[in-house]
Amino acid sequence: MRWQGKSGRKVTGGRLAPARGKRKYEIGRDSADTVIGPGKVKSIEIMGGGHKLRALKYDVATVADPVTGKTKRGKIETSVSNPANLNYVRRNIITKGAIIKTEFGEARVTNRPGQDGVVNAVLLSQ
């Protein structure tokens, strides 16, 4: 289990005596690592009782064309580059900022698929 609370050490390396224990709202979750494939979306419960959609696999992107101002849905073919992690390209993982190849051309992902449950992208000028 991941915990996003305060560290048990000072900056100098000395030990801190915690004033309280861990709290449920300090638990972190593993990253979604959205992969290119037939759509698979998971709903997770968030703080306050709401729900968040987490895209585990996705093969369709909503692509915006800045030249024409139109938006259309297109098939994702492959991942071209990813500034977050170079290994993500090999594993076809989509994150925000990733360059993907769609049926309309190359596009940059503008949202966070692991947080939103969809893939939105903007076409790059050819």
Side-chain angles (χ1 to χ4, degrees), residues 10-53:
K10 297 181 191 178
V11 179
T12 58
R15 195 172 178 287
L16 279 171
R20 61 170 178 79
K22 298 178 181 181
R23 298 289 187 264
K24 188 174 192 292
Y25 59 79
E26 293 172 345
I27 294 173
R29 292 188 176 99
D30 291 326
S31 60
D33 290 343
T34 306
V35 180
I36 298 173
K40 184 178 180 186
V41 179
K42 182 168 102 175
S43 176
I44 57 170
E45 196 171 310
I46 59 171
M47 222 172 138
H51 285 83
K52 189 185 281 190
L53 294 176

Side-chain angles (χ1 to χ4, degrees), residues 45-122:
E45 196 171 310
I46 59 171
M47 222 172 138
H51 285 83
K52 189 185 281 190
L53 294 176
R54 182 156 284 185
L56 302 176
K57 288 183 179 182
Y58 225 72
D59 60 351
V60 178
T62 305
V63 183
D65 189 350
V67 178
T68 62
K70 300 204 180 216
T71 305
K72 46 199 168 196
R73 285 173 64 82
K75 196 107 172 124
I76 301 172
E77 294 170 8
T78 185
S79 177
V80 177
S81 74
N82 197 324
N85 190 333
L86 297 176
N87 291 321
Y88 284 180
V89 179
R90 253 185 283 180
R91 294 166 60 193
N92 271 338
I93 292 177
I94 309 168
T95 59
K96 181 176 180 176
I99 309 294
I100 55 175
K101 187 177 175 195
T102 65
E103 57 185 276
F104 308 117
E106 288 188 2
R108 174 177 281 113
V109 178
T110 57
N111 72 321
R112 300 166 69 190
Q115 305 282 332
D116 304 334
V118 293
V119 178
N120 298 330
V122 174

